[in-house]
Amino acid sequence: MAEDRSRGGSRPLVTRDRRRPRLRAGANATRSGDTPTTATDDEPLAHRIQRGYAAWARVYDWFARATASVGGVRAGCVRALDLDPGDTVVEFGCGPGVNVPSLRAAVGPTGRVVGVDITGAMLDRARRLAERRGWENVEFVRGDATDPPVRSADAVLATFVTSLFPDPYAAVSEWCALADGVVVAAFAPRGSRPANAALSAFTRLNGRLFDAKGGDPLAQLDARTAAARRALADNSERLTEERYLFETITVYAGHGRAVGPTE
């Protein structure tokens, strides 16, 4: 169990390592490894995400590292976090740890980076990376971003995660209760036709992962991104945003706790 060193004392930071996500009522509880043995239409979303990312962990790792600097999105996310040396930052949906080097550089040797992901294959790659680099202030935890396995942090980062959630507003609102700074990078189809066509094709190709059942996948992406933005706006004192890659990706940053009731 990690300790929240950025806030002094030995208050636990990580409260639990969810080896498996909580199953919804009526879900098939017979599972093996990262993924269910069979795929069904009522398969819980958490298992669909595990299935999709576990199958492509090696390719995703390579692709994410090869494109880490494209468009300046990931650098913009770390900049928007406004981290100080000694801070504790939690990344939900950390994948193979592509953002960790930049996050470590921002919090320094006295800070802490905690990566949370629901897919064991991704975490295995992230942990091997940390071991190779000798990172002592980094740890990775298996958990569901919609049921955070952390108690508190100085900042939270999530890149390309909220588009997977049926209810991004609820998830992001919970993150805002954990930290004073929350940064979300999300797909926001509103740019050029070629970029929108690529986003649409990607979403349809991964229909089960994005829970896209026909209809207009771009509209669904837009709606989920808008919900994440509303959560940040309602729960933060200050909200900023930047757009990247022909405006198909938006980085939202919420800082400070909102005062008074929210809707």
Side-chain angles (χ1 to χ4, degrees):
M1 180 178 293
E3 295 179 350
D4 191 347
R5 298 175 181 175
S6 69
R7 298 175 184 268
S10 59
R11 185 164 57 129
L13 169 67
V14 177
T15 59
R16 59 198 181 279
D17 186 342
R18 292 201 180 279
R19 297 295 172 184
R20 299 184 191 280
R22 294 180 298 180
L23 296 179
R24 302 291 184 261
N28 182 359
T30 302
R31 306 296 176 195
S32 174
D34 259 340
T35 60
T37 54
T38 58
T40 62
D41 289 339
D42 61 351
E43 179 184 355
L45 178 61
H47 293 300
R48 274 183 265 158
I49 294 173
Q50 287 179 326
R51 177 186 295 280
Y53 281 107
W56 294 96
R58 185 186 300 273
V59 174
Y60 181 88
D61 190 1
W62 171 84
F63 178 80
R65 296 186 193 286
T67 61
S69 61
V70 173
V73 179
R74 296 183 185 275
C77 287
V78 176
R79 186 169 57 249
L81 285 167
D82 195 23
L83 295 166
D84 292 321
D87 280 350
T88 294
V89 58
V90 175
E91 182 182 7
F92 289 118
C94 67
V98 177
N99 292 322
V100 172
S102 296
L103 293 174
R104 282 190 75 252
V107 302
T110 61
R112 193 162 195 84
V113 180
V114 179
V116 178
D117 204 283
I118 202 170
T119 306
M122 288 291 188
L123 289 177
D124 288 343
R125 302 189 74 83
R127 286 170 177 146
R128 287 198 293 270
L129 173 65
E131 290 173 2
R132 290 196 304 270
R133 301 285 182 89
W135 293 337
E136 296 183 354
N137 61 336
V138 175
E139 70 174 295
F140 298 97
V141 181
R142 182 111 174 237
D144 187 338
T146 64
D147 179 27
V150 297
R151 186 184 302 277
S152 66
D154 295 298
V156 164
L157 172 64
T159 58
F160 313 113
V161 174
T162 55
S163 57
L164 302 175
F165 303 151
D167 189 359
Y169 187 95
V172 175
S173 295
E174 188 160 0
W175 301 347
C176 290
L178 299 175
D180 289 333
V182 177
V183 170
V184 172
F187 294 113
R190 59 168 65 90
S192 66
R193 285 187 177 181
N196 280 351
L199 268 181
S200 180
F202 176 73
T203 307
R204 291 184 186 279
L205 183 64
N206 297 276
R208 287 187 58 79
L209 184 62
F210 287 96
D211 196 30
K213 301 176 181 177
D216 186 350
L218 292 182
Q220 176 172 294
L221 285 178
D222 222 4
R224 291 183 175 181
T225 295
R229 183 192 184 282
R230 284 198 306 275
L232 285 173
D234 288 349
N235 292 280
S236 303
E237 183 180 19
R238 174 171 55 91
L239 176 66
T240 61
E241 62 183 81
E242 292 186 67
R243 297 177 183 176
Y244 297 84
L245 290 177
F246 307 104
E247 299 192 347
T248 57
I249 295 173
T250 303
V251 174
Y252 299 107
H255 290 281
R257 306 292 177 91
V259 178
T262 60
E263 297 181 355

